[in-house]
Amino acid sequence: MHTNSYLFFNGRSAEALKFYKEAIGTTDEMVMRFSDSPDQSGVPPENKDLVMHAQFKIGDTTIFMSDGCGGGTTKFEGSSLAIAADTVPDAQRIFDALAKGGNITQPLMETFFAKTFGMVQDKFGMHWMLIVAKPM
């Protein structure tokens, strides 16, 4: 058994997939649009091109996403996705890419528990933490 995060982008999933591929180097595993459903009876015409379900990978981790019913603003409150980078330069590169169009909530810096640690909210409102841990 394992757990996956499922993120709802309210009409911006395709944009988010492209952004994360460029910013983090994610790989798309699957993208299914509402137009792909064999039963179109409950799909409003304005939702046909929205993402019903997608899967992408960050390293070994699979993240699920959807546009849901589209519209509205995304609200990723009370959670963050954390990336444990291998090196400080890797963390800096990813952090800077995620910060484009977003907000830095904690600049990357060395802490008592990490070679570097920082927090950023990307342009979709998703919260991210980047860390390069110190050896125990």
Side-chain angles (χ1 to χ4, degrees):
M1 182 184 325
H2 63 275
T3 302
N4 294 86
S5 296
Y6 208 120
L7 311 174
F8 291 89
F9 283 85
N10 296 329
R12 297 183 73 188
S13 289
E15 180 186 358
L17 283 168
K18 182 179 178 192
F19 177 76
Y20 296 142
K21 186 180 286 189
E22 293 169 2
I24 307 172
T26 61
T27 54
D28 298 348
E29 291 191 314
M30 187 262 263
V31 178
M32 181 184 302
R33 298 190 182 279
F34 283 96
S35 60
D36 297 325
S37 174
D39 180 7
Q40 292 291 303
S41 62
V43 179
E46 64 272 14
N47 288 3
K48 289 193 183 289
D49 291 330
L50 295 180
V51 174
M52 181 168 41
H53 175 77
Q55 295 176 206
F56 64 95
K57 285 188 92 92
I58 302 172
D60 294 332
T61 302
T62 299
I63 306 289
F64 297 156
M65 71 163 35
S66 175
D67 281 324
C69 293
T73 39
T74 55
K75 292 185 180 180
F76 299 108
E77 297 174 1
S79 64
S80 293
L81 293 179
I83 295 176
D86 292 328
T87 66
V88 172
D90 285 344
Q92 186 70 59
R93 177 185 52 76
I94 295 167
F95 186 87
D96 291 344
L98 288 170
K100 287 182 182 158
N103 299 306
I104 294 172
T105 53
Q106 165 67 55
L108 275 177
M109 62 175 58
E110 185 173 359
T111 68
F112 70 94
F113 60 86
K115 292 180 185 178
T116 195
F117 173 79
M119 298 183 293
V120 62
Q121 183 180 30
D122 70 26
K123 67 182 184 176
F124 303 101
M126 186 67 227
H127 298 273
W128 297 86
M129 295 188 290
L130 277 286
I131 188 169
V132 177
K134 288 183 178 177
M136 299 293 285

